[in-house]
Amino acid sequence: MNIDFVILAAGKGTRMGGDSPKVLASLAGQPMLQNLINTTNDFKQSKRVLVVGYKANEVKRLIKTTKKTDWVKQNKQLGTARAVKQALKSLRRGSIAVILYGDVPLVSYSTLNKLVNQAKKDSLALLTFNKEIPHGYGRIVRKGKHAIDKIVEEKDASPSQKEITEVNSGIMAVKTRYLSKLIPQVQNNNAAKEFYLTDIVSLANKSKINVKALMLKDNVEVLGANNPQELHDLERAFQKRNAEDLISSGVYVADSMRLDIRGETDIGRGSFVDVNSVFEGNNKIGQRVSIGPGCFISNSVIKNEINQGGIFVKEISPVMKINLRGKKREFLTNIGKSLNMI
C-alpha cells in the first residue's frame, strides 16, 4: 500500500533567535527536517508532501528529497488542520496518510511502521506518550481502557483534564479517504480560533471510525525543538542514540555522551572510539580500528586495524606518510589530504 507522508514545516521559529526557518536548524550536521525526510525515504512506495511557509524557497533549496515529493505553500498559518487540508490534493487515492512535523525529527522507522499497520486496519492511529508534567500538550481523553474519545488542547482543558498525563504527539496515520472526509469538517470553535488537527478524533468517533493509540516507550522519539535549549537537548539525545546504535552493532564506545556523528559514518565491528571524537560528513571506518581521544575525522576512509591517535583527518586520499609522535609511519589506508596533530 502507498504511504503518503504529510510533513508540516511552515514555522518561522522566532524563539530560535535566528532568521532561518525553524526546520533548517542544524541537527547532527544537517537540517533537522532532513533527518525526518531520510527516515521516510526508507519506506517503499512512499511519497512526501511538504507544507512550507516562511522562506519556503530556502527550505526547498537546502533539503534533499526524492522525486516523489510535492511542495505545498501555506500562506497563512491558521492551524494544523488547515495546513493538512492544503496537502489533501497531493495525496494518492487508496494510500495511508501519515502526519509528521519537521521540528520533531527523531521518530523511528519502527514506530512509524507500527502506526501505519494500525491505520491499515481502518483505524485513525495516534502516537501518544506519558509526560509527568504535561503542560502545553493536548490531553488524551479516553472512554474506557482501549478507546479514545477526544484530544483536548491545553487552552481548552478543564482542571480535571489537565491532570491527564497521556498526551498527544501530533503524529498520526489514517487512510487517505478517511482524512479527506474528516478534515473539511474541522471548525475553529476554540479559544485560539485555530483549526486543530486533533479535532478529527471526535469527528472520527462520530463517523464510526476506530481511534487507536500507539503509546511510545521512548519519549525521545517525539522530542521537538522550539528554542536553542530544546535544540541542544535534541542534539544530545540524537547523538546518544547514534552511539548506542554503534554499541549494539559491535563497536566499543568509551562514553556515549561524548561522541558526535555529523553525517553518515559506518564503523566496523570490534573497533573502539574513545571520548570526545567527532565524525563529520561521510566516513568509512574498518574493523578493529582504535580511534583515540579527541579525534576529528571528516569524509575519510580508515581501513582495518589502524590505531588512530588524537588527530585531525580531512578528505579522502589514497596513501600518505605522516610523522606521528616523532616516528615516521605509513598508513596503507585512505586517510586524508590534510592532517593536523593534536
Side-chain angles (χ1 to χ4, degrees), residues 243 245-253 267-273 289:
D245 287 344
L246 285 176
I247 293 168
S248 65
S249 71
V251 176
Y252 298 92
V253 175
I267 304 179
R269 291 179 61 86
S271 292
F272 171 74
V273 182
V289 173

Side-chain angles (χ1 to χ4, degrees), residues 274-287:
D274 213 330
V275 298
N276 298 328
S277 292
V278 177
F279 298 87
E280 181 180 82
N282 295 314
N283 298 288
K284 176 74 174 179
I285 314 299
Q287 297 183 8

Side-chain angles (χ1 to χ4, degrees), residues 137-153:
Y137 287 85
R139 309 306 202 275
I140 302 296
V141 180
R142 289 182 173 269
K143 50 179 182 180
K145 185 177 181 180
H146 301 290
I148 295 176
D149 183 30
K150 58 185 177 181
I151 299 174
V152 180
E153 297 296 339

Side-chain angles (χ1 to χ4, degrees), residues 26-28 230-240 260:
S26 179
L27 178 69
E230 290 179 353
L231 182 62
H232 164 272
D233 296 344
L234 193 65
E235 176 79 27
R236 296 329 311 156
F238 190 34
Q239 294 297 348
K240 186 172 187 293
D260 273 25

Side-chain angles (χ1 to χ4, degrees), residues 7-58:
I7 304 176
L8 307 187
K12 183 176 180 180
T14 303
R15 285 182 286 169
M16 281 293 186
D19 192 45
S20 293
K22 178 167 60 171
V23 295
L24 295 183
S26 179
L27 178 69
Q30 60 185 350
M32 61 175 159
L33 173 59
Q34 189 67 59
N35 289 278
L36 182 61
I37 288 175
N38 292 347
T39 301
T40 67
N41 287 341
D42 290 337
F43 285 84
K44 296 179 179 179
Q45 298 178 299
S46 65
K47 175 183 177 180
R48 279 137 295 283
V49 183
L50 278 91
V51 182
V52 292
Y54 179 68
K55 292 193 175 183
N57 289 335
E58 184 178 345

Side-chain angles (χ1 to χ4, degrees), residues 6 10 33 42 56 59 107 117 149 178 183 200 204 220-221 235 251 310 313 322:
V6 179
L33 173 59
D42 290 337
V59 176
V107 60
N117 287 334
D149 183 30
Y178 292 150
I183 286 292
I200 71 170
V220 166
E221 291 196 40
E235 176 79 27
V251 176
V313 180
I322 64 169

Side-chain angles (χ1 to χ4, degrees), residues 126-131 133-142 148 150-157 161-171 196 198-199 201:
L126 309 177
L127 189 62
T128 69
F129 63 104
N130 276 313
K131 192 167 180 63
I133 303 175
H135 179 76
Y137 287 85
R139 309 306 202 275
I140 302 296
V141 180
R142 289 182 173 269
I148 295 176
K150 58 185 177 181
I151 299 174
V152 180
E153 297 296 339
E154 172 81 23
K155 294 177 182 179
D156 303 300
Q161 289 169 338
K162 288 181 179 180
E163 298 297 318
I164 297 172
T165 58
E166 184 183 7
V167 298
N168 176 42
S169 73
I171 296 171
Y196 291 149
T198 50
D199 285 351
V201 172

Side-chain angles (χ1 to χ4, degrees), residues 53-256:
Y54 179 68
K55 292 193 175 183
N57 289 335
E58 184 178 345
V59 176
K60 191 172 182 178
R61 177 173 58 86
L62 294 175
I63 294 299
K64 298 176 183 178
T65 185
T66 68
K67 292 182 179 179
K68 291 185 177 180
T69 301
D70 287 353
W71 296 84
V72 177
K73 180 70 178 295
Q74 182 185 13
N75 292 316
K76 293 184 179 181
Q77 295 186 32
L78 301 174
T80 46
R82 181 59 63 90
V84 172
K85 186 176 182 179
Q86 291 184 258
L88 290 179
K89 61 184 179 181
S90 294
L91 303 182
R92 293 171 291 183
R93 181 176 296 180
S95 68
I96 296 288
V98 183
I99 313 300
L100 300 172
Y101 300 83
D103 60 349
V104 183
L106 300 189
V107 60
S108 68
Y109 175 93
S110 175
T111 294
L112 290 177
N113 195 46
K114 290 175 184 177
L115 206 64
V116 166
N117 287 334
Q118 279 196 358
K120 286 179 179 178
K121 300 175 183 178
D122 286 329
S123 296
L124 169 59
L126 309 177
L127 189 62
T128 69
F129 63 104
N130 276 313
K131 192 167 180 63
E132 290 183 10
I133 303 175
H135 179 76
Y137 287 85
R139 309 306 202 275
I140 302 296
V141 180
R142 289 182 173 269
K143 50 179 182 180
K145 185 177 181 180
H146 301 290
I148 295 176
D149 183 30
K150 58 185 177 181
I151 299 174
V152 180
E153 297 296 339
E154 172 81 23
K155 294 177 182 179
D156 303 300
S158 67
S160 61
Q161 289 169 338
K162 288 181 179 180
E163 298 297 318
I164 297 172
T165 58
E166 184 183 7
V167 298
N168 176 42
S169 73
I171 296 171
M172 60 180 67
V174 65
K175 287 184 175 178
T176 295
R177 62 188 175 95
Y178 292 150
L179 187 66
S180 298
K181 175 184 177 181
L182 297 172
I183 286 292
Q185 298 180 50
V186 176
Q187 302 295 318
N188 64 344
N189 302 322
N190 53 66
K193 296 300 178 183
E194 291 187 358
F195 295 88
Y196 291 149
L197 181 60
T198 50
D199 285 351
I200 71 170
V201 172
S202 56
L203 293 170
N205 281 319
K206 291 177 182 177
S207 298
K208 307 301 181 183
I209 299 170
N210 290 326
V211 182
K212 300 291 185 181
L214 174 65
M215 185 177 288
L216 274 174
K217 294 181 180 179
D218 182 7
N219 294 356
V220 166
E221 291 196 40
V222 288
L223 285 177
N226 291 301
N227 56 56
Q229 180 61 57
E230 290 179 353
L231 182 62
H232 164 272
D233 296 344
L234 193 65
E235 176 79 27
R236 296 329 311 156
F238 190 34
Q239 294 297 348
K240 186 172 187 293
R241 176 196 283 183
N242 287 339
E244 289 171 348
D245 287 344
L246 285 176
I247 293 168
S248 65
S249 71
V251 176
Y252 298 92
V253 175
D255 187 342
S256 63

